[in-house]
């Protein structure tokens, strides 16, 4: 299926008590059986709205180079595909299982220059073997890790990302974590049990602003960044704001001795909480 221009497609899968819950839209081939993979492609200003008891949208390759998606599943995934590529698009995906699900046999999830909101009442907001996010605004909210890049890890660059979990780390990976020039919120609603961010591979965080509930695991050593553990934040090294940010009410940002915080041209630091300056603030 390819949607172009101002195309509009709406589908509602029926509920059933049988073994095969109703899908919204399914375009699928048995690749392991030798069949050629099939694709749902959305371009330009095209729109898909899909609701279902099972997966709202399911295909081998889900590719967006524009357009909007609203996918809601009451008992399955919002969007399920082997490979998911989202570029210059808007996506809302909600499911009982992952809202946005890249299967373990595919090439993961890539999000570029897009706005994505993915939620799950019983699993991950976003799940894939590899997740790559660039120049985007992403919100991932789940019962388990909101944002979960499995063995292939997570890469976030030049983006604003919020990852929240009710019963696990907000942001988690069994692989490596790489964050650059980004604003990140990593929140667990059970900070006594879980980290806000918890990669099990190597972790590289540079030139970023990180807010957490639950803190970050011990293998995370941010460079030239700002890190909040709950209400208390600190500048690490020579940090530069990656974008405009707010020190929210109830938060305290400390700029320790021998550190600097630079506010670049066209960026704004708004203080609604407290800032303790023992180092240097540079406003361009």
């Amino acid at each position: 299926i390819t949607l172009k221009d101002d195309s509009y497609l709406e589908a509602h899968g029926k509920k059933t008590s049988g073994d095969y819950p109703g899908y919204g839209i399914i375009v699928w081939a048995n690749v392991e059986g030798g069949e050629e993979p099939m694709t749902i492609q959305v371009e330009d200003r095209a729109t898909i709205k899909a609701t279902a008891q099972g997966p709202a949208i399911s295909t081998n390759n889900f590719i967006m180079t524009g357009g909007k998606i609203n996918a809601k599943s009451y008992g399955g995934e919002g969007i399920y595909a082997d490979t998911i590529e989202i570029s210059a698009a808007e996506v809302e995906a909600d499911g009982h299982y992952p809202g946005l699900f890249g299967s373990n046999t595919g090439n993961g999830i890539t999000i570029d220059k897009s706005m994505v909101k993915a939620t799950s009442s019983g699993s991950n907001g976003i799940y894939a073997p590899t997740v790559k996010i660039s120049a985007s605004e992403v919100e991932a909210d789940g019962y388990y890790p909101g944002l979960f890049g499995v063995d292939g890890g997570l890469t976030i660059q030049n983006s604003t990302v919020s990852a929240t979990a009710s019963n696990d780390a907000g942001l988690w990976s069994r692989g490596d974590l790489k964050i650059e020039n980004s604003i990140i919120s990593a929140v667990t609603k059970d900070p006594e049990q879980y980290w806000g961010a918890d990669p099990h591979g190597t972790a590289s965080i540079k030139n970023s602003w990180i807010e957490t509930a639950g803190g970050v695991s011990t293998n995370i050593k941010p460079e030239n960044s700002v890190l909040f553990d709950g209400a208390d934040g600190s500048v690490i090294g020579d940090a530069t704001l990656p974008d405009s940010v707010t020190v929210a009410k109830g938060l305290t940002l400390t700029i320790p001795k021998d550190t600097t915080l630079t506010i670049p041209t066209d960026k704004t630091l708004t203080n609604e909480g407290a800032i303790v300056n023992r180092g240097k603030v540079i406003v361009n």
Side-chain angles (χ1 to χ4, degrees), residues 222-227 234-239 256 259-260:
E223 299 177 36
N224 300 325
S225 297
V226 173
L227 176 63
S234 181
V235 171
I236 300 168
D238 297 316
T259 69
T260 62

Side-chain angles (χ1 to χ4, degrees), residues 5-283:
D5 303 317
D6 294 293
S7 304
Y8 181 84
L9 175 61
E10 185 168 346
H12 302 279
K14 290 184 177 180
K15 293 183 178 180
T16 175
S17 59
D19 294 332
Y20 301 98
Y23 283 53
I25 301 170
I26 179 169
V27 181
W28 196 265
N30 181 10
V31 178
E32 294 181 354
E35 298 178 3
E36 290 295 320
M38 300 184 76
T39 299
I40 293 176
Q41 184 152 343
V42 181
E43 304 174 3
D44 306 317
R45 300 163 302 281
T47 299
I48 293 178
K49 181 179 180 181
T51 59
Q53 181 182 357
I57 298 173
S58 181
T59 185
N60 299 108
N61 298 315
F62 182 78
I63 299 174
M64 296 184 72
T65 55
K68 296 181 180 180
I69 299 291
N70 189 308
K72 168 69 176 178
S73 173
Y74 299 97
E77 299 86 0
I79 300 173
Y80 180 102
D82 290 332
T83 299
I84 297 174
E85 298 177 3
I86 300 170
S87 177
E90 296 181 27
V91 175
E92 289 192 24
D94 181 24
H96 173 70
Y97 296 121
L100 199 60
F101 192 121
S103 79
N104 291 325
T105 60
N107 295 323
I109 295 174
T110 301
I111 300 170
D112 180 54
K113 301 181 183 69
S114 298
M115 297 180 66
V116 174
K117 181 178 181 180
T119 57
S120 172
S121 59
S123 187
N124 313 105
I126 296 176
Y127 172 103
T130 300
V131 179
K132 297 180 180 180
I133 299 170
S134 58
S136 297
E137 295 182 21
V138 175
E139 182 178 341
D141 193 337
Y143 180 78
Y144 294 124
L147 181 55
F148 183 16
V150 193
D151 298 318
L154 291 167
T155 300
I156 302 171
Q157 296 176 310
N158 306 308
S159 297
T160 299
V161 175
S162 172
T164 304
S166 298
N167 196 43
D168 212 317
L171 185 153
W172 189 54
S173 173
R174 288 201 291 262
D176 298 336
L177 171 67
K178 182 178 181 180
I179 298 174
E180 292 182 348
N181 303 313
S182 295
I183 297 174
I184 308 294
S185 172
V187 174
T188 176
K189 295 182 180 179
D190 187 2
E192 299 298 323
Q193 298 291 328
Y194 303 105
W195 301 105
D198 185 20
H200 287 193
T202 61
S204 173
I205 298 179
K206 297 179 180 179
N207 306 314
S208 295
W209 179 285
I210 314 293
E211 296 184 13
T212 76
V216 297
S217 56
T218 54
N219 63 330
I220 295 180
K221 308 293 184 185
E223 299 177 36
N224 300 325
S225 297
V226 173
L227 176 63
F228 278 86
D229 183 351
D232 298 319
S234 181
V235 171
I236 300 168
D238 297 316
T240 299
L241 294 189
D243 206 339
S244 296
V245 295
T246 297
V247 179
K249 183 178 179 180
L251 301 186
T252 298
L253 173 63
T254 299
I255 305 165
K257 182 181 178 181
D258 298 327
T259 69
T260 62
L261 177 63
T262 298
I263 305 168
T265 305
D266 300 327
K267 302 294 188 293
T268 301
L269 174 63
T270 301
N271 180 28
E272 297 176 355
I275 296 176
V276 179
N277 182 20
R278 298 189 178 99
K280 182 185 291 185
V281 177
I282 301 172
V283 181

